[in-house]
Amino acid sequence: MARGAVPGSRSPLRLRAASSEDAGRRERRPLAWPLRLLAMVCAFAFMVAFAVVLARLTLHPSPASEALTHTNMRPGRSLKAYLDQPALRDAVKQIGGNILLGVPFGVLVPVVAPRTRGLLRVLLLTAVAMLLVEFAQGALITGRAFDIDDVILNTTGALVGYLLLGRRMSRAVHARRSRK
């Protein structure tokens, strides 16, 4: 026994080890059910609002720019074109806008649909949804075209949203099942 130690007391090292074991055994508990319900309803409402905004931004005809549109199947081609523009503001607007368009997916999808939690699931769902939007643009909308770079940028935005807020919100709203 160390000099000055009280019998039956734990050393600081043992206390740290015991507290980390307790933390490992503790599970994250979700919010109380009324708060969970409120969070789900709000997330669903925001997801519907996001879908309306997405449709207005991407599925609105643009006959004036019909001659300027082109299909892009090569990743990076549109990004290079954006960055080669003389006005940096236009490049930031195009690239930043596409990234921001994906952020709500990364934040809201894991809250609205708990089975989609997880980085790969959120990214896959976002990529599929954005591919569908781009296909619709290219096939149905005058003055719009399919652009794979938009899908990549939107999915990147979902990644940012998921890492910054979506993962934490999902854990707060939905309990993880214990693995035994």
Side-chain angles (χ1 to χ4, degrees):
M1 185 181 299
R3 196 168 53 141
V6 178
S9 68
R10 292 185 171 182
S11 70
L13 183 60
R14 285 186 182 172
L15 283 175
R16 274 190 233 129
S19 67
S20 67
E21 288 173 10
D22 290 342
R25 277 186 250 146
R26 266 187 267 150
E27 292 181 28
R28 289 183 182 239
R29 293 192 177 167
L31 300 171
W33 75 267
L35 290 175
R36 288 178 57 201
L37 180 62
L38 179 64
M40 293 280 292
V41 168
C42 288
F44 182 75
F46 282 124
M47 192 61 125
V48 169
F50 170 69
V52 170
V53 169
L54 179 67
R56 295 272 308 177
L57 290 174
T58 60
L59 300 177
H60 191 270
S62 179
S65 63
E66 187 173 348
L68 303 173
T69 60
H70 63 283
T71 298
N72 174 29
M73 300 295 276
R74 286 192 5 215
R77 178 189 268 170
S78 292
L79 293 174
K80 184 177 181 325
Y82 295 151
L83 295 172
D84 287 343
Q85 292 179 3
L88 179 63
R89 189 173 80 157
D90 293 336
V92 169
K93 184 177 169 184
Q94 285 292 331
I95 294 170
N98 276 310
I99 290 173
L100 285 176
L101 203 57
V103 171
F105 263 89
V107 174
L108 298 173
V109 164
V111 175
V112 172
R115 290 183 183 211
T116 62
R117 279 197 320 204
L119 182 65
L120 292 177
R121 289 179 181 164
V122 169
L123 294 180
L124 182 63
L125 183 64
T126 302
V128 168
M130 294 307 175
L131 276 169
L132 291 172
V133 168
E134 289 295 321
F135 283 135
Q137 278 184 337
L140 304 172
I141 310 301
T142 304
R144 299 283 186 165
F146 178 89
D147 190 346
I148 193 66
D149 287 334
D150 288 352
V151 174
I152 292 168
L153 291 171
N154 297 151
T155 305
T156 301
L159 171 66
V160 169
Y162 180 76
L163 292 176
L164 289 178
L165 197 57
R167 182 178 59 209
R168 288 183 193 100
M169 283 180 56
S170 178
R171 286 180 181 168
V173 174
H174 304 290
R176 280 221 183 253
R177 293 185 181 133
S178 62
R179 296 178 188 176
K180 291 186 179 185

